[in-house]
Amino acid sequence: MLYSLYEAGYYAGAPWRAAALATRDFWSSPLNPAADTDFGRRMYAGADLYANLTRRYGRPAWGIDSVLVDGKPVRVRETEVWSSPWVKLTHFARDAADLRRAGRRELAPAVLIVAPLSGHFATLLRGTVRAFLQDHEVFVTDWSNARDVPVLEGRFDFHDYIDHVRDMLRALGPRPHVVAVCQPGPPVLAAAALMAEDGEASRPATMTFMGSPIDARLSPTVTNRLAEQRPFAWFESNMVHTVPAPYPGMGRRVYPGFVQLAAFMSMNLQDHQQAHLRYLQQLMAGDGDGADRHLAFYDEYLSVLDLTEEFYLQTVDVVFQRYLLPKGELVHRDRLVRPAAITDIGLLTVEGENDDISGIGQTQAAHDICSGLPDDLKADYVQPHVGHYGVFNGRRFREEIYPRVRAFIAEAEARFDKPAFDSPGEPA
């Protein structure tokens, strides 16, 4: 019912949005002699803010056409190398001729970046991808919006997620590297443990966990406390709703993206209010650069996707209420997941000092449960002065975190003396 009411509210507001857009166009027209007056800028700013706050935000484009490698531009193209109804594995293939002109003739390591399936689209990791593209062949999990997947495609749960990670690692060939950003930490670690125990040739060479709730019992945040305080039945009754028409997934039960977004924004509501007030003031003052930065951030932040009922509820249960992985009790397809079986996969954990989503210690817990790993294959880093977002994006990520991840991967490449990924062809 909530989903239908949300849709009805959006369509009921269409006349007001149309009026706001017309007002914005009128007061920004170069043919309007009053457009550059104080009154004109105020009218434009108010109409623009209303239009942006009430419009729909679709899946953003990656917009990565080129990157700088050693200071020289290298063209990049997106290619789909593996897919299911639930995810598209996207390869950001760098142009081989441009790489040679940049002096890069060696084979590049393949890195699978597993984007979070927790409300936002994978494009939230655009800055992460750009950084890794300087030195690696980068593959990203671009997860589907559950409301766009027809009910006939079946279900997608926590264990399907683990299977998908395993299948994508296999698609990349022998010993790729995997980076899990936030939510994927537990299922990625489970996939690595199963592949290690089976001795699979495509088990990762390294796994990097960034702000991940490996053990959510440690340094609990507001998110963790909510999961602990509410019974499982509360999440099932209050957070899951039915996709209405005309979406392809109509009839599917989901955790809606707009509900997740409301939860995100409520955690820092005053900050968001101040940001929109600054945006309004920048428009009225004619500060186009400041307004553009605001729009760029919120165009991404307000773009959300739905999660399937089963994946969302199992994540709450497995990761945030029963803590099955760190307790050694996670069972996948009638098989106990044994992180101690991991003996030759490098482990790097990265946390932010001010992370209010995954508290300090939750990611570091991976070192304790991967008890079969020797110390020389483990590394941990806590980045000062950053919150959750800063762990995988922004200036400190580019200048302080990414170089450490790059060095960790390079060390593993040298240690295992394994074949790398030959760009831009297929995995070796």
Side-chain angles (χ1 to χ4, degrees):
M1 178 62 73
L2 178 64
Y3 213 135
S4 297
L5 289 174
Y6 173 78
E7 291 294 307
Y10 172 77
Y11 288 111
W16 297 101
R17 280 191 300 278
L21 290 171
T23 302
R24 183 181 68 178
D25 292 344
F26 176 78
W27 288 106
S28 61
S29 172
L31 300 178
N32 185 344
D36 199 34
T37 64
D38 180 67
F39 178 78
R41 288 194 297 270
R42 287 177 180 273
M43 291 296 293
Y44 168 78
D48 183 80
L49 180 62
Y50 179 84
N52 281 321
L53 286 176
T54 59
R55 73 178 176 89
R56 281 284 169 83
Y57 290 79
R59 178 187 294 269
W62 282 99
I64 303 178
D65 300 318
S66 66
V67 294
L68 291 178
V69 176
D70 296 335
K72 297 181 180 178
V74 173
R75 288 168 292 177
V76 177
R77 72 178 189 279
E78 297 176 35
T79 61
E80 181 182 314
V81 296
W82 189 90
S83 67
S84 81
W86 301 103
V87 68
K88 178 175 69 175
L89 181 58
T90 299
H91 176 206
F92 290 88
R94 303 177 299 171
D95 186 83
D98 289 349
L99 283 173
R100 286 193 292 271
R101 281 191 288 270
R104 294 293 184 95
R105 300 182 181 277
E106 72 277 10
L107 300 181
V111 175
L112 171 62
I113 299 178
V114 184
L117 183 54
S118 57
H120 283 102
F121 290 97
T123 50
L124 191 68
L125 304 187
R126 188 180 293 104
T128 318
V129 172
R130 283 190 176 277
F132 275 89
L133 276 171
Q134 298 173 84
D135 308 282
H136 309 94
E137 286 301 321
V138 178
F139 301 80
V140 180
T141 59
D142 201 348
W143 298 103
S144 302
N145 191 340
R147 75 182 185 190
D148 295 328
V149 182
V151 174
L152 291 177
E153 295 291 353
R155 294 163 59 86
F156 180 83
D157 63 16
F158 185 86
H159 299 284
D160 293 321
Y161 194 113
I162 293 174
D163 290 337
H164 272 59
V165 171
R166 296 183 70 179
D167 288 340
M168 287 184 281
L169 286 169
R170 291 167 183 150
L172 301 188
R175 308 308 301 271
H177 304 268
V178 63
V179 176
V181 179
C182 189
Q183 169 270 320
V188 168
L189 181 53
L194 293 167
M195 296 178 81
E197 189 169 26
D198 291 344
E200 291 195 37
S202 294
R203 67 190 184 280
T206 66
M207 48 188 179
T208 299
F209 299 108
M210 311 180 78
S212 295
I214 302 297
D215 190 345
R217 295 173 295 181
L218 307 175
S219 302
T221 62
V222 173
T223 303
N224 305 138
R225 293 191 183 97
L226 175 64
E228 291 175 347
Q229 293 168 0
R230 303 283 188 179
F232 181 79
W234 182 89
F235 291 94
E236 193 172 19
S237 301
N238 294 279
M239 307 303 281
V240 176
H241 304 277
T242 303
V243 176
Y247 295 108
M250 62 177 295
R252 183 179 293 282
R253 297 281 286 170
V254 299
Y255 174 45
F258 65 84
V259 174
Q260 176 75 314
L261 181 61
F264 281 146
M265 298 192 74
S266 67
M267 295 176 62
N268 300 284
L269 184 58
Q270 188 172 4
D271 291 342
H272 291 293
Q273 292 171 338
Q274 290 298 318
H276 284 91
L277 178 59
R278 284 194 302 272
Y279 174 66
L280 187 66
Q281 293 168 340
Q282 288 163 350
L283 287 179
M284 291 188 293
D287 179 6
D289 291 340
D292 287 345
R293 287 192 296 271
H294 173 94
L295 286 178
F297 174 79
Y298 278 100
D299 281 352
E300 191 74 55
Y301 189 80
L302 298 178
S303 300
V304 290
L305 52 74
D306 298 349
L307 282 61
T308 65
E309 172 188 37
E310 54 275 13
F311 174 77
Y312 169 70
L313 292 177
Q314 285 183 0
T315 299
V316 170
D317 176 50
V318 170
V319 177
F320 295 105
Q321 289 194 338
R322 291 198 289 158
Y323 318 106
L324 296 184
L325 181 64
K327 290 166 65 176
E329 299 173 2
L330 178 61
V331 175
H332 174 72
R333 312 292 187 205
D334 298 323
R335 177 180 174 187
L336 185 66
V337 175
R338 308 176 192 274
I342 300 174
T343 59
D344 64 350
I345 301 175
L347 170 62
L348 171 62
T349 56
V350 181
E351 296 180 319
E353 179 185 28
N354 302 323
D355 194 334
D356 59 353
I357 302 295
S358 296
I360 289 183
Q362 293 188 15
T363 310
Q364 294 172 356
H367 294 279
D368 293 330
I369 66 176
C370 293
S371 56
L373 272 176
D375 290 341
D376 63 343
L377 290 182
K378 296 180 179 181
D380 173 62
Y381 178 67
V382 177
Q383 174 63 48
H385 313 303
V386 301
H388 188 70
Y389 187 75
V391 170
F392 57 88
N393 233 322
R395 179 180 60 84
R396 287 195 170 95
F397 167 76
R398 293 190 302 271
E399 297 177 359
E400 302 180 50
I401 295 176
Y402 172 68
R404 287 176 166 83
V405 181
R406 176 181 59 200
F408 189 77
I409 291 175
E411 182 181 345
E413 290 285 304
R415 177 187 295 112
F416 295 122
D417 190 27
K418 70 181 193 64
F421 191 89
D422 186 6
S423 173
E426 294 302 315

